[in-house]
């Protein structure tokens, strides 16, 4: 198992130490080193990592607030010289908390905890109990989802947003569109490289858009128009 991680610290010497420790742990792979949370946020907008070693006291945006802004945060290990942050760190489900100055032994302990958490997260999702249910991993939980409740699925980089009936916020899960498309039944159709819809939830089709509700207008991609039109033709009444 390889754990891709980034190190964030505004102090160059502290950052250098964390990078050196990462390079000493065989199962850790350094993806980036950043001297601010803003730099890290820019990196994460285009890249996916498994873990972050993050200082808390930093200018512009501190590490704690930075982690709270992440939609689907990876595993977090906080590093700081201030012990009063420990309780707050665990409130955001941090895997570990390293109090500066820390040595390689302390760092190895935190790395081992990351590996344990990754092992749990990497376990296969529980199989569906029936054709109308599936299980999705989100954050550190596995959620049971009733397939008929799915309105549509939206691709977001390497993650998916699964929008459900009656829910204001989607479930966010690390999964490919291909895997989701293979799992969903015949009443779901991909209409765009970024969207799979529940055909039973369509309210209207207007030109190159599918209207799911008053606030949700989804585009029909050129590659998917023919298959979608063929579906409409099977349902269409009139001249």
């Amino acid at each position: 198992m390889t754990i891709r991680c980034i190190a964030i610290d505004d102090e160059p010497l502290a950052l250098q130490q964390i990078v050196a420790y990462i390079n000493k742990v065989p199962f850790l792979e350094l993806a980036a080193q950043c001297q601010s949370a803003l730099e890290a946020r820019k990196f994460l907008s285009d890249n996916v990592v498994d873990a972050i070693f993050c200082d808390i006291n930093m200018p512009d945006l501190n590490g704690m607030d930075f982690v709270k802004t992440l939609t689907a945060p990876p595993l977090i290990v906080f590093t700081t010289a201030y012990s009063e942050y420990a309780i707050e760190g665990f409130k955001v489900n941090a895997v570990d908390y390293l109090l500066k100055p820390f040595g390689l032994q302390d760092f190895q302990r935190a790395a081992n905890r990351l590996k344990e958490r990754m092992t749990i997260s990497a376990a296969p999702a529980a199989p569906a109990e029936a054709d109308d249910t599936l299980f999705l991993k989100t954050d550190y939980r596995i959620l049971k989802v009733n397939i008929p409740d799915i309105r549509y699925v939206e691709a977001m980089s390497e993650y998916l947003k699964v929008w459900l009936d009656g829910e204001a916020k989607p479930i966010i899960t690390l999964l490919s569109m291909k895997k989701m498309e293979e799992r969903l039944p015949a009443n779901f159709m991909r209409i765009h490289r970024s969207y799979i819809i529940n055909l039973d939830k369509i309210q209207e089709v207007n030109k190159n858009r599918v209207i799911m509700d008053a606030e949700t207008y989804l585009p029909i991609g050129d590659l998917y128009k023919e298959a979608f039109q063929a579906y409409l033709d099977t349902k269409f009444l009139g001249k």
Side-chain angles (χ1 to χ4, degrees):
M1 173 186 291
T2 299
I3 301 175
R4 278 173 48 84
C5 55
I6 61 173
I8 312 170
D9 201 305
D10 64 306
E11 299 176 6
L13 290 178
L15 182 59
Q16 184 179 348
Q17 181 192 51
I18 296 172
V19 169
Y21 286 164
I22 288 173
N23 290 331
K24 288 179 182 291
V25 179
F27 56 82
L28 294 183
E29 176 187 316
L30 181 67
Q33 49 183 302
C34 306
Q35 288 192 274
S36 72
L38 297 178
E39 183 183 346
R41 186 158 64 185
K42 183 178 179 181
F43 176 82
L44 290 175
S45 67
D46 297 316
N47 299 272
V48 176
V49 299
D50 302 308
I52 298 176
F53 290 90
C54 185
D55 186 28
I56 293 180
N57 276 17
M58 293 186 290
D60 297 325
L61 179 64
N62 73 50
M64 193 72 65
D65 291 337
F66 162 65
V67 169
K68 291 176 181 177
T69 67
L70 298 177
T71 304
L75 302 177
I76 307 295
V77 174
F78 282 118
T79 64
T80 184
Y82 301 92
S83 59
E84 62 266 25
Y85 284 113
I87 294 176
E88 188 176 356
F90 286 113
K91 284 182 179 178
V92 295
N93 209 16
V95 174
D96 208 347
Y97 178 97
L98 291 170
L99 185 62
K100 298 178 181 178
F102 53 85
L104 180 57
Q105 185 176 356
D106 293 326
F107 185 89
Q108 181 72 61
R109 180 201 70 221
N112 288 339
R113 289 183 176 176
L114 282 176
K115 189 176 182 180
E116 290 172 4
R117 188 72 68 85
M118 279 288 292
T119 301
I120 294 171
S121 299
E129 291 182 348
D131 289 341
D132 62 349
T133 62
L134 54 79
F135 288 81
L136 296 175
K137 287 182 288 187
T138 179
D139 295 327
Y140 308 116
R141 301 176 297 158
I142 296 178
L143 299 181
K144 180 180 178 181
V145 175
N146 292 320
I147 292 176
D149 292 340
I150 298 176
R151 298 173 58 239
Y152 65 97
V153 179
E154 178 182 1
M156 181 186 68
S157 186
E158 295 187 27
Y159 291 84
L160 297 182
K161 292 181 179 180
V162 181
W163 295 87
L164 304 176
D165 282 338
E167 298 292 338
K169 294 183 178 180
I171 295 172
I172 297 176
T173 184
L174 181 59
L175 193 66
S176 70
M177 285 289 272
K178 185 176 184 297
K179 287 284 187 183
M180 179 62 81
E181 196 172 9
E182 289 173 352
R183 176 64 186 87
L184 292 173
N187 61 312
F188 284 81
M189 178 177 286
R190 192 164 182 175
I191 61 165
H192 187 276
R193 64 187 180 89
S194 298
Y195 296 102
I196 299 171
I197 64 169
N198 185 338
L199 298 170
D200 297 335
K201 307 290 184 181
I202 296 175
Q203 290 190 1
E204 185 179 336
V205 179
N206 189 329
K207 296 183 179 179
N208 291 324
R209 298 182 302 177
V210 174
I211 301 173
M212 306 300 286
D213 57 48
E215 299 178 353
T216 308
Y217 293 65
L218 305 181
I220 304 170
D222 290 340
L223 294 177
Y224 305 91
K225 283 181 181 177
E226 185 176 347
F228 185 65
Q229 185 60 52
Y231 162 76
L232 291 181
D233 289 344
T234 66
K235 302 290 184 180
F236 189 74
L237 293 181
K239 296 180 180 181

